[in-house]
Amino acid sequence: MPSIAVSGRTGAGFDELRTAIAELTGGLPAPDQDADVRLWIDRAFTVSGAGTVVTGTLAAGTIAVGDELRLGPAPVKVRGLQALGEPRDRVGAVARVAVNLRGTPRGDVGRGDVLLTPDRWRTTAEFDVRLRGAAAADLHRNLVLHLGTVALPVRVRPLGTDTARLTTGTALPLRVGDRGLVRDPGEHRIAAGFDVLDVHPPSLARRGAARDRGRELADPDLARTYLRRHGFVRAADFAAMGLPEAGERLGGWCADEERFAALRAEAAAIVGGWDRTAAGVPVEALRQRLGLPAPELVVPVLRGTGFEVAGGLVRRPGAGLAPAVEEALEKVAKRLAEHPFRAPEADELRALGLGRRELAAAVRLGRLTALAEGVVLGPDAEDRAVSGLGELPQPFTVSEARKALDSTRRVMIPLLERLDAAGRTEPLGDGTRRVR
């Protein structure tokens, strides 16, 4: 930007100044009309017959009458809009805008509050910044932060020559790239400007962590640095933090390639060395062992390892149950073939070597039907029960069902509840049921 001399007395230089300003603004990037709304409020007042009105500068995005936004934790609705003194149905950035909020008391909003697109912003009270105009070591530890229309006390912790961690008492909706100022109220001066580098920084609990963090912030690829630290990051979180996506996309997640490759090798070793009687690792057990943040990441991690997810187990394709478990299940099947609705007692199952883990594996593989803890029947128990109950006079009682199926209350109560939940029988409210 060139320097231009002007005179308030003669008016000399103002035409050149206007031209220079027009050239400067003409070279700025066009505002993103589809961006998430963040309207920092500078005034709030009441208009008779309209209610609460707030004003601010819309730097990005679009606001329309009827939109639902958030004011802090509360949802609010846009009742009306004005720009340049004229009523508008929609206002796009960049614009000064007055927003009439439906059902929002004047006392609930003031300068420094912010209107946001719902579910698109994360708030933070601790963030790392790069300083402009001053060295971190030269700043006082307690200053006043100015960003948007907010002004609040901030604690400064130096990290490097020009990097620092700022901590506020109030969480703010910030994104990487936001710019602000810190003011020294004691010296009545602007102490420094800053650019936000990380809105979800790591803790600095260990000795030397601040110095290491300062070196880490020197990496120009902030998204890659963040992903490397966490391993897996939701794509929506990258957007909410103002970072571009990085790493390998896995559905709604992004994965650090090195961490991903290491976990794939670790997963193969865990499943290959699993020595339980069930021929597979429960998906949740593997997820916890690997430290994966979500179950849907298990399948991508297993690609290329030769293992699959089937029946809630991670195993080799076509793998069955351990021989001892197979032998025990054959004995249970023979018993249930004679009396389909007389479930073996818990001590009988234990004597066969069928504990909770083995039974769960058999249920996942479709070999048994679990009605309750330690109560199992054959895989076709539901169909057989509906067929038998359908021959009874309708409606029927629990006792009549028990006799018809040659069963016990221990089995019949959870079996009927299961059929109710599946919509195959209907309880009538008087202790009786009918087959649908």
Side-chain angles (χ1 to χ4, degrees), residues 198-257:
D198 194 338
V199 296
H200 187 201
S203 65
L204 302 176
R206 61 179 178 78
R207 187 180 183 87
R211 183 174 59 253
D212 293 342
R213 178 61 176 156
R215 286 195 290 266
E216 187 178 50
L217 289 172
D219 189 334
D221 193 341
L222 298 173
R224 179 69 63 178
T225 299
Y226 186 85
L227 181 61
R228 229 177 357 246
R229 186 165 77 244
H230 291 274
F232 295 87
V233 177
R234 291 186 186 275
D237 289 340
F238 273 130
M241 292 185 293
L243 289 170
E245 287 187 21
E248 182 176 349
R249 186 69 180 264
L250 304 172
W253 291 83
C254 297
D256 176 64
E257 290 91 340

Side-chain angles (χ1 to χ4, degrees), residues 130-136 138-139 162 189-194:
R130 188 172 307 285
L131 299 168
R132 292 180 279 108
D138 295 338
L139 297 180
D162 64 345
R189 69 182 181 89
I190 300 299
F194 65 80

Side-chain angles (χ1 to χ4, degrees), residues 73-84:
V76 296
K77 195 161 188 176
V78 177
R79 180 181 181 182
L81 287 171
Q82 278 195 0
L84 299 177

Side-chain angles (χ1 to χ4, degrees), residues 309-390:
V309 175
L313 294 174
V314 180
R315 56 181 190 156
R316 293 192 183 280
L321 296 168
V325 177
E326 289 283 3
E327 183 178 347
L329 289 177
E330 285 295 327
K331 294 179 181 178
V332 171
K334 288 180 180 179
R335 170 171 175 164
L336 291 174
E338 297 176 6
H339 300 284
F341 299 101
R342 287 187 174 270
E345 297 291 337
D347 56 351
E348 295 178 71
L349 294 172
R350 282 194 295 271
L352 291 171
L354 296 175
R356 180 182 299 178
R357 185 177 297 109
E358 292 77 21
L359 291 174
V363 170
R364 281 193 293 264
L365 293 175
R367 302 288 297 279
L368 294 174
T369 297
L371 301 181
E373 181 71 29
V375 181
V376 293
L377 296 177
D380 58 349
E382 282 193 27
D383 292 338
R384 295 179 70 136
V386 171
S387 177
L389 296 173

Side-chain angles (χ1 to χ4, degrees), residues 11-304:
F14 277 96
D15 288 341
E16 291 84 350
L17 178 61
R18 293 187 187 96
T19 300
I21 291 175
E23 291 176 353
L24 175 65
T25 56
L28 294 175
D32 185 357
Q33 305 286 311
D34 299 321
D36 301 326
V37 169
R38 179 178 57 177
L39 182 72
W40 294 99
I41 295 169
D42 50 40
R43 283 200 309 150
F45 50 90
T46 301
V47 174
S48 179
T52 300
V53 176
V54 299
T55 65
T57 300
L58 183 63
T62 300
I63 300 178
V65 173
D67 279 356
E68 290 190 358
L69 302 173
R70 293 199 74 82
L71 179 65
V76 296
K77 195 161 188 176
V78 177
R79 180 181 181 182
L81 287 171
Q82 278 195 0
L84 299 177
E86 298 293 331
R88 303 276 291 276
D89 291 329
R90 300 172 64 86
V91 178
V94 173
R96 286 289 300 169
V97 61
V99 185
N100 182 198
L101 300 177
R102 186 188 304 276
T104 302
R106 166 66 185 87
D108 290 352
V109 58
R111 182 179 177 86
D113 289 331
V114 58
L115 289 175
L116 302 170
T117 300
D119 304 320
R120 296 291 296 170
W121 296 86
R122 306 288 186 271
T123 60
T124 179
E126 191 173 58
F127 48 99
D128 292 345
V129 303
R130 188 172 307 285
L131 299 168
R132 292 180 279 108
D138 295 338
L139 297 180
H140 290 163
R141 296 299 171 260
N142 293 289
L143 299 172
V144 176
L145 176 141
H146 292 266
L147 192 147
T149 59
V150 74
L152 70 165
V154 63
R155 174 79 176 169
V156 180
R157 180 174 181 178
L159 301 175
T161 304
D162 64 345
T163 52
R165 176 157 300 179
L166 304 185
T167 305
T168 60
T170 302
L172 301 172
L174 301 182
R175 285 184 176 173
V176 173
D178 284 343
R179 288 187 163 189
L181 302 170
V182 285
R183 178 173 57 86
D184 192 327
E187 298 183 359
H188 304 286
R189 69 182 181 89
I190 300 299
F194 65 80
D195 299 295
V196 176
L197 299 179
D198 194 338
V199 296
H200 187 201
S203 65
L204 302 176
R206 61 179 178 78
R207 187 180 183 87
R211 183 174 59 253
D212 293 342
R213 178 61 176 156
R215 286 195 290 266
E216 187 178 50
L217 289 172
D219 189 334
D221 193 341
L222 298 173
R224 179 69 63 178
T225 299
Y226 186 85
L227 181 61
R228 229 177 357 246
R229 186 165 77 244
H230 291 274
F232 295 87
V233 177
R234 291 186 186 275
D237 289 340
F238 273 130
M241 292 185 293
L243 289 170
E245 287 187 21
E248 182 176 349
R249 186 69 180 264
L250 304 172
W253 291 83
C254 297
D256 176 64
E257 290 91 340
E258 291 185 10
R259 178 83 67 89
F260 193 48
L263 287 178
R264 179 174 284 130
E266 186 178 350
I270 292 172
V271 180
W274 195 256
D275 59 357
R276 310 286 176 90
T277 51
V281 184
V283 170
E284 180 60 17
L286 182 62
R287 185 194 72 78
Q288 292 182 12
R289 287 278 297 272
L290 296 175
L292 294 172
E296 60 263 30
L297 292 171
V298 172
V299 170
V301 165
L302 292 172
R303 287 186 190 131

